[in-house]
Amino acid sequence: MGGMHGFGPVVVPGCEHVCEEPWEARTFAMSTIVGIEGIGHGGGRPIREEMSPEHYLRASYYERWLWSTEQRLLRKGTIAPGEVDDWVDRLLAGEPVPRRIDPAQAARDRAATSEVSPLGEARETRFALGDRVRVRRWRHAGHTRCPRYIRGVEGEVTAVRGTARLPDIGPYQGPVEPVYSVSFRSGDVFGPSDEPGWTLWLDLTETYLEAA
Amino acid sequence: MSVDHDHVHDDVAVRAAALEALLVEKGLISTDAIDAVVDLYENDIGPQNGARVVARAWVDEAYRDRLRQNGTAAIAELGYGGFEGDTMVVVENTPEVHNIIVCTLCSCYPWPVLGLPPSWYKSPAYRARVVAEPRAVLAEFGLELADHVEVRVWDSTAEVRYLVLPMRPQGTEGLAEEELATLVTRDSMVGTGVPLQPVAAA
């Protein structure tokens, strides 16, 4: 969304809240547990990007998470189409949400959130610190981690962060590549501004870059 | 926390409850597992963790150096790490440089040190504008920077998460690390604010 216009102010009433309502926190937790327990297919982030733009922008934040969680469960075959709708009807008819207690699962899921998978160590890199690079212009269908606003812009390699799989294939199943920190000048990205110049720093996978 | 079915007041809340009901009915997710993860991110994982990292860096120059060298490892020294904190980079504010973090593509945020992001961080307005007019956005937060200060906007586009190390406020020389931590606000670690002054924290 970088550089888009028309969204209005950032600081608005209620903007400090992490969650407005209990269902949002529970949706976050369900989404997280679906991943930990391996009962969904695909990642929430790329699936949320499959929402149509008007649906994406109209939906609240955790509404998107709810949608992607349901999709992941459907794609794995863990739930069947219509099963959530059936439960909506049952709840509206007054039936309570069933409860089930499983302390082992609670402990397992809680502990799993402290697991980490850091970037790999970069040994061979195409670009070196200080190199001038340009972000490739390309039309890509589907998930990417190369923002539209930075394509075609020239910047400088300032760090090698490590290695990761190219997100665009799979997604997150592409070849293992170096990830660079690249700095850009605001004027090169957005043109003249009333504000004093600033700099933008992005982490970009090698495929996104070409020598400038 | 449980779902209060007498007060579900919109379709999304009902749908979220329906999904929970379905997964519980199928025996796939337990009520207490959901409760445990909710509790974890409401009570244990939040900006109080990042504040401890910052306060330690303010009083311990060797620790600050380790944070600069390897943010992930230095943060792990204090016991913090996990989802959305796999590779951490700490960016340091100075009289010449002010750092701000954003995720223009979604809502990437350093959970282990800051918890889950506030609404404004996830809003289209913040994601769109902070890269294109950072000082206008900072002004909405009440933060005005001198013209000579270089604003650096860090867009979290890969699996790297950022934490801003704000400058230690003036007049805090006599404060202990624990007292300093109370001055470190969430926004000061995102870059949309600065730490509290000791008077305000008293």
Side-chain angles (χ1 to χ4, degrees), chain A residues 39-112:
Chain A
I39 55 177
H41 177 79
R45 186 191 293 159
I47 288 176
R48 285 188 284 278
E49 294 173 1
E50 294 177 22
M51 298 174 86
S52 68
E54 59 269 31
H55 184 194
Y56 183 95
L57 286 170
R58 194 174 59 244
S60 71
Y61 183 76
Y62 283 110
E63 191 176 344
R64 293 179 206 136
W65 280 57
L66 180 63
W67 187 84
S68 62
T69 303
E70 216 179 305
Q71 288 298 315
R72 290 157 68 202
L73 291 160
L74 285 165
R75 291 175 193 193
K76 181 88 172 187
T78 302
I79 65 174
E83 286 190 313
V84 177
D85 301 298
D86 290 345
W87 257 110
V88 167
D89 292 342
R90 288 164 71 178
L91 294 178
L92 291 175
E95 197 172 332
V97 174
R99 293 180 60 80
R100 190 174 67 83
I101 300 303
D102 181 350
Q105 185 182 44
R108 176 171 76 237
D109 292 345
R110 191 179 164 102

Side-chain angles (χ1 to χ4, degrees), chain A residues 140-154:
Chain A
H140 177 77
H143 185 65
T144 185
R145 295 300 294 175
C146 182
R148 199 178 293 125
Y149 75 87
I150 211 68
R151 293 179 204 164
V153 183
E154 201 178 305

Side-chain angles (χ1 to χ4, degrees), chain A residues 1-5 7-11 14-23 25-30 32-34 36-37 39 45 49 56-57 60-66 69-70 73 78-80 83-85 87-88 90-92 95-103 105-106 109-110 112-119 144-149 161 172 179 181 190 193 195-205, chain B residues 1-3 5 8-42 44-45 72 81-87 89 91 103-108 111 116-137 140-141 146-162 186-187:
Chain A
M1 289 192 167
M4 286 174 71
H5 293 265
F7 291 119
V10 173
V11 180
C15 73
E16 289 297 310
H17 298 293
V18 171
C19 289
E20 301 272 337
E21 298 175 38
W23 70 265
R26 298 189 80 72
T27 295
F28 165 78
M30 285 191 282
T32 301
I33 293 168
V34 164
I36 293 168
E37 297 287 333
I39 55 177
R45 186 191 293 159
E49 294 173 1
Y56 183 95
L57 286 170
S60 71
Y61 183 76
Y62 283 110
E63 191 176 344
R64 293 179 206 136
W65 280 57
L66 180 63
T69 303
E70 216 179 305
L73 291 160
T78 302
I79 65 174
E83 286 190 313
V84 177
D85 301 298
W87 257 110
V88 167
R90 288 164 71 178
L91 294 178
L92 291 175
E95 197 172 332
V97 174
R99 293 180 60 80
R100 190 174 67 83
I101 300 303
D102 181 350
Q105 185 182 44
D109 292 345
R110 191 179 164 102
T113 62
S114 61
E115 291 170 6
V116 292
S117 49
L119 297 181
T144 185
R145 295 300 294 175
C146 182
R148 199 178 293 125
Y149 75 87
R161 295 293 188 212
Y172 296 97
V179 177
S181 174
F190 295 112
S193 167
E195 298 189 6
W198 63 100
T199 52
L200 296 133
W201 304 65
L202 284 76
D203 293 309
L204 298 168
T205 308
Chain B
M1 185 194 302
S2 64
V3 179
H5 299 292
V8 285
H9 55 268
D10 68 32
D11 295 347
V12 186
V14 175
R15 194 156 193 94
L19 185 62
E20 176 175 339
L22 179 61
L23 294 172
V24 167
E25 182 184 56
K26 284 178 178 287
L28 294 168
I29 290 187
S30 65
T31 309
D32 55 339
I34 297 174
D35 293 342
V37 173
V38 168
D39 172 71
L40 183 65
Y41 284 94
E42 281 184 350
D44 294 350
I45 300 180
T72 319
F83 286 2
E84 294 297 313
D86 304 88
T87 297
V89 170
V91 289
C103 175
T104 63
L105 292 172
C106 48
S107 55
C108 297
W111 294 358
L116 300 179
S119 290
W120 60 259
Y121 184 87
K122 303 173 285 194
S123 70
Y126 184 72
R127 293 164 55 192
R129 291 180 53 209
V130 80
V131 289
E133 45 174 352
R135 283 171 195 260
V137 172
E140 287 186 27
F141 285 89
D147 281 359
H148 76 274
V149 175
E150 177 193 343
V151 174
R152 295 185 178 177
V153 183
W154 299 85
D155 190 355
S156 314
T157 49
E159 296 307 315
V160 177
R161 298 292 172 268
Y162 292 91
R186 177 197 61 205
D187 289 5

